Amino acid sequence: MAMAPVIKLVLGSIAFAIFWVLAVFPSVPLLPIGRTAGSLFGAMLMVIFQVITPEQAYAAIDLPILGLLFGTMVVSIYLERADMFKYLGTLLSWKSRGPKDLLCRVCLVSAVSSALFTNDTSCVVLTEFVLKIARQKNLPPHPFLLALATSANIGSSATPIGNPQNLVIAVQSKIPFWEFLLGVFPAMIVGVTVNALLLLGMYWRLLSDHKEDEEKAGESADSEVVAVAEEDVTSHRFSPATFSPATSEESNLRMDPDTLRNRAGSAGEGDLISRDSNASREQQTDAESQGEINNNNNMFQTKKWRRVLWKSSVYLITLGMLISLLMGLNMSWTAITAALALVVLDFKDARPSLEKVSYSLLIFFCGMFITVDGFNKTGIPTALWDLMEPYAKIDQAKGTMVLAVVILVLSNVASNVPTVLLLGARVAASAMGREEEKKAWLLLAWVSTVAGNLTLLGSAANLIVCEQARRAVSHGYTLTFTKHFKFGLPSTLIVTAIGLFLIK
């Protein structure tokens, strides 16, 4: 592709630079409008500067990707309502055998849930669970938060629905869901395992030092439970009845035998009548209260079984969606169909659930599609790729390593989704044959995803974990850039290298 005229090249570069700054640094002091508005601003500048026409801008928006993203978000919302992530959180601490066992569980659960429900969703839901468990067991939070974030990124690489860049790759490459999974799954499994081993190796002493503290905390917790139980029992004991002192009139009555005898006779007759009426009232009241209890129990059982049936239906529809994707059906319409089936099944106003969809992310994608397409039309990405292409052939080990470094750097400089949009078609076009082309797409998916583990700013999942942990009300924790980078650098390099040899 030839370079665009100088004026268009300069203006297009300025628009893309503004988009990049606002996407990577959303709170930049000069223009703190955030990522979503930043992407729309970049798209608007591309049209105003006449780098692309309005018709080309509309055509640049990839509707299948937006449909797939929307559908998976709605399904994740209903799964959260059906307590799926609550069960995953419970699984983390169920019969845990210590800090190291807990760390491995966090890695496994995070990776699997991210592959099925996207990494961002898993991090949003699981961060507080992980932080709470670490605090309860008196453990340092940052190894577990690192395990959650890094394993979520690695695990999400295995499926087209694991993260946004994989959605883009799956739609543009037209690789079936099943082939995508088979191509990346071995690298994902080994990558998660190696990542967990690196975490254990780096924090072994720290986790071992806290084992004794954890046991003491457990003993104190047990004693607290016993104390609460005893206090609970004491508060429900009955105390002896107390009587108020007699009045002066009652004292006089006791001293007059005739009065007492007359009062006793009239009282006896009255007592018999009142006792009969009281007994009938009590029986009626008991019958009414028993009927209310039975009705309440029946209503409770009905609601309980309806809830169980609804949750089971949500799980079955989600399973059906995954099976349909594995069978090679259209991914966007499969996800949208599953989402609408859940909306209809819920049989109530869907607005509260649909309001939880991240529409800002969908709008961000629209602006990004337009901005990246405009930047492509300047000819700069093509010119840069022409310089790199001879050294980045994937039919040689050296070329694969060069390509991986380029993707790794760009993913952390320009973010992973724009990197995929810029490089995807070019990397695939440079491959020779269908098998090499598929391998090129899968390598792009693997490296651009794992690259998110390099720094705290490398992926949205990292930022979500950091922000969720910081905002936790009773057990907040700040995961610093330095702590993340100290582990992220070796983990990213080693895990990326492993995947290059395993992806076929």
Side-chain angles (χ1 to χ4, degrees):
M1 180 181 177
M3 296 288 284
V6 176
I7 184 67
K8 185 178 288 189
L9 188 149
V10 172
L11 292 176
S13 299
I14 291 173
F16 184 78
I18 292 172
F19 159 75
W20 176 81
V21 170
L22 294 175
V24 178
F25 309 105
S27 300
V28 63
L30 295 175
L31 198 62
I33 60 176
R35 289 187 179 89
T36 302
S39 72
L40 289 178
F41 189 55
M44 180 198 70
L45 290 177
M46 286 291 182
V47 176
I48 289 177
F49 293 159
Q50 296 184 358
V51 179
I52 56 175
T53 63
E55 291 74 18
Q56 289 173 329
Y58 287 126
I61 298 173
D62 200 323
L63 291 178
I65 294 174
L66 296 179
L68 182 55
L69 194 58
F70 172 78
T72 52
M73 282 194 287
V74 173
V75 172
S76 296
I77 289 166
Y78 278 92
L79 282 172
E80 185 178 358
R81 283 185 53 196
D83 297 331
M84 169 63 77
F85 297 103
K86 179 182 176 182
Y87 297 145
L88 290 176
T90 304
L91 184 63
L92 291 176
S93 59
W94 181 66
K95 294 186 178 180
S96 177
R97 298 181 179 179
K100 301 176 187 68
D101 174 54
L102 178 61
L103 189 72
C104 293
R105 288 190 189 203
V106 171
C107 290
L108 180 61
V109 170
S110 175
V112 174
S113 62
S114 296
L116 298 176
F117 315 119
T118 76
N119 55 353
D120 294 352
T121 301
S122 298
C123 289
V124 166
V125 179
L126 293 178
T127 298
E128 192 162 354
F129 281 112
V130 170
L131 197 59
K132 192 179 295 183
I133 293 169
R135 292 298 193 190
Q136 285 175 349
K137 294 181 177 294
N138 197 30
L139 296 169
H142 66 276
F144 301 96
L145 295 176
L146 286 172
L148 175 63
T150 55
S151 299
N153 286 328
I154 298 171
S156 70
S157 65
T159 63
I161 60 174
N163 55 60
Q165 62 269 22
N166 279 16
L167 295 177
V168 175
I169 290 171
V171 172
Q172 290 189 350
S173 67
K174 296 181 172 57
I175 298 175
F177 190 99
W178 178 249
E179 290 184 20
F180 195 109
L181 178 62
L182 284 180
V184 184
F185 186 74
M188 186 272 278
I189 290 294
V190 177
V192 171
T193 304
V194 170
N195 189 64
L197 292 175
L198 289 172
L199 281 165
L200 289 172
M202 184 171 288
Y203 297 108
W204 185 275
R205 182 175 296 178
L206 183 64
L207 296 176
S208 298
D209 291 341
H210 281 76
K211 188 173 182 181
E212 186 178 345
D213 295 339
E214 182 190 354
E215 291 174 355
K216 290 179 180 178
E219 290 174 3
S220 63
D222 291 341
S223 63
E224 286 176 8
V225 171
V226 173
V228 170
E230 288 179 356
E231 184 181 341
D232 214 19
V233 171
T234 305
S235 65
H236 286 87
R237 287 175 185 161
F238 291 99
S239 56
T242 53
F243 296 94
S244 58
T247 60
S248 57
E249 186 180 352
E250 288 172 339
S251 302
N252 293 331
L253 287 174
R254 287 194 190 101
M255 300 300 292
D256 189 353
D258 294 332
T259 307
L260 287 172
R261 201 175 293 116
N262 293 334
R263 286 293 181 99
S266 60
E269 293 175 2
D271 284 346
L272 288 173
I273 297 170
S274 63
R275 282 174 188 170
D276 290 340
S277 61
N278 287 338
S280 61
R281 286 175 189 169
E282 286 176 2
Q283 289 175 358
Q284 185 178 357
T285 304
D286 289 343
E288 290 176 356
S289 61
Q290 188 64 36
E292 289 179 3
I293 292 171
N294 290 335
N295 289 334
N296 289 337
N297 286 337
N298 291 334
M299 289 176 62
F300 175 76
Q301 291 295 331
T302 303
K303 287 182 179 179
K304 180 182 176 182
W305 282 110
R306 281 181 182 174
R307 174 74 175 167
V308 170
L309 182 61
W310 179 78
K311 287 165 67 172
S312 302
S313 301
V314 171
Y315 300 151
L316 286 174
I317 290 174
T318 305
L319 182 62
M321 181 189 78
L322 295 175
I323 293 172
S324 300
L325 292 173
L326 290 172
M327 291 172 62
L329 298 182
N330 183 281
M331 285 189 282
S332 298
W333 283 107
T334 298
I336 292 172
T337 302
L340 291 177
L342 291 173
V343 169
V344 173
L345 177 69
D346 199 26
F347 208 67
K348 62 175 68 170
D349 188 1
R351 184 169 55 182
S353 295
L354 294 179
E355 284 175 350
K356 296 180 181 179
V357 171
S358 180
Y359 295 103
S360 61
L361 180 62
L362 298 175
I363 296 171
F364 172 80
F365 265 72
C366 292
M368 182 177 60
F369 286 140
I370 297 170
T371 307
V372 172
D373 187 62
F375 188 57
N376 279 330
K377 283 185 168 49
T378 63
I380 294 176
T382 303
L384 293 175
W385 178 249
D386 289 342
L387 293 174
M388 290 297 306
E389 185 180 7
Y391 309 100
K393 297 288 186 181
I394 63 170
D395 57 349
Q396 299 175 357
K398 183 180 177 181
T400 303
M401 292 297 292
V402 171
L403 178 62
V405 171
V406 171
I407 298 171
L408 192 66
V409 172
L410 273 179
S411 295
N412 279 276
V413 171
S415 188
N416 40 29
V417 179
T419 297
V420 166
L421 290 172
L422 288 170
L423 290 181
R426 295 176 175 87
V427 171
S430 66
M432 300 179 65
R434 174 59 185 167
E435 286 302 315
E436 270 201 16
E437 182 182 341
K438 186 177 90 170
K439 182 181 178 181
W441 281 112
L442 296 180
L443 283 175
L444 180 60
W446 172 256
V447 180
S448 64
T449 300
V450 178
N453 286 340
L454 184 62
T455 68
L456 192 61
L457 303 175
S459 77
N462 298 344
L463 295 173
I464 288 169
V465 169
C466 180
E467 193 64 17
Q468 292 281 103
R470 187 181 66 82
R471 288 183 178 180
V473 179
S474 59
H475 37 265
Y477 180 82
T478 301
L479 181 64
T480 62
F481 182 94
T482 306
K483 283 184 178 179
H484 188 283
F485 186 72
K486 182 181 176 182
F487 174 75
L489 178 62
S491 172
T492 302
L493 296 178
I494 294 171
V495 173
T496 301
I498 289 171
L500 298 182
F501 293 101
L502 291 177
I503 291 176
K504 302 297 181 184

